[in-house]
Amino acid sequence: MTSVAVNTYTHSVTYVADNILKSFKDIIRMSGLDPSRFTDDWATNMLAIKTWLGTGDLEKVILEIFNPSSGVLIVRWDIDIVYGWSGDGGFWTDTEQLKYHIRKAGIAPSDAAYDILLKTKPGRPDVAGWGTGSFRSTDGFVRHSLGSTIGHNGLGGSAAYWRKN
C-alpha cells in the first residue's frame, strides 16, 4: 500500500512540474519572446522543480520578464505551490484561463529577456545548476491572482502575474 501512495505522489510531482514548465513556455511564446533558451534548459529546470516538489521544499516558481539593459522588471509570473489541498484526484491545467491573462498582460518589448527563479524553503537539498539568487523589485506593480491553475491529487499550483500599476 505504501508503494502505491509513493508512486501516486511521484506521478503528481511529475505532472505538476511538467505543466508548470509548459505554462511558462506558453507565457514566454505568447508574450512575443523566443522560448529556445527556456527549452534548452528544460531538463535542468525539470530536475530542480521535481526534486523540490518531491521534498516539499518548493514554494514558488517565478518567470521574470525584464529589460536586459537596465534589469528593470517588465512583468512577472508566479506559480505558488499548494501542497495537500483536497481535490477529486483528477489531473487538470486551466490553459484557457492562463491564455486569457497572458493576452491581458500584453506583448513584451522585442528586446526583453527572461529568467526562471525558484523560491524554496531554507535547508532544501542542492540541485546541480541551481543556487541562490534574488528577485527583481515589484515596487509599483500590482499582483493579479488567477487562482488554481494546475492540480493533481493534492498537489497544485496557483498562478498570478505582476504588472505596472
Side-chain angles (χ1 to χ4, degrees):
M1 188 65 143
T2 302
S3 65
V4 172
V6 170
N7 289 338
T8 300
Y9 189 72
T10 300
H11 191 66
S12 297
V13 164
T14 301
Y15 178 83
V16 170
D18 191 50
N19 280 283
I20 288 170
L21 290 177
K22 285 178 182 174
S23 296
F24 277 180
K25 182 181 174 191
D26 286 345
I27 292 167
I28 292 165
R29 186 180 47 75
M30 291 179 69
S31 296
L33 302 174
D34 180 1
S36 59
R37 184 175 62 87
F38 180 77
T39 56
D40 289 347
D41 293 338
W42 193 278
T44 302
N45 294 337
M46 179 64 93
L47 177 62
I49 292 169
K50 282 178 65 174
T51 298
W52 293 326
L53 278 174
T55 61
D57 290 311
L58 186 61
E59 296 178 338
K60 185 181 305 233
V61 184
I62 297 148
L63 170 66
E64 292 183 336
I65 299 174
F66 61 95
N67 179 317
S69 301
S70 66
V72 173
L73 188 66
I74 296 169
V75 65
R76 176 175 135 173
W77 290 86
D78 298 348
I79 297 183
D80 297 307
I81 305 303
V82 181
Y83 296 95
W85 59 269
S86 53
D88 61 6
F91 298 76
W92 55 272
T93 303
D94 193 344
T95 55
E96 290 308 312
Q97 173 181 262
L98 193 57
K99 287 176 185 176
Y100 170 80
H101 286 283
I102 295 168
R103 286 189 297 272
K104 191 173 177 181
I107 301 293
S110 60
D111 65 339
Y114 58 86
D115 283 330
I116 302 296
L117 304 161
L118 305 179
K119 183 176 187 297
T120 59
K121 293 178 183 173
R124 54 114 173 112
D126 289 336
V127 173
W130 285 88
T132 58
S134 59
F135 306 107
R136 288 175 176 79
S137 173
T138 54
D139 289 346
F141 284 72
V142 176
R143 187 175 198 262
H144 301 273
S145 178
L146 282 61
S148 296
T149 310
I150 301 166
H152 179 258
N153 206 28
L155 180 63
S158 294
Y161 68 99
W162 297 76
R163 68 177 182 188
K164 279 281 192 191
N165 189 4

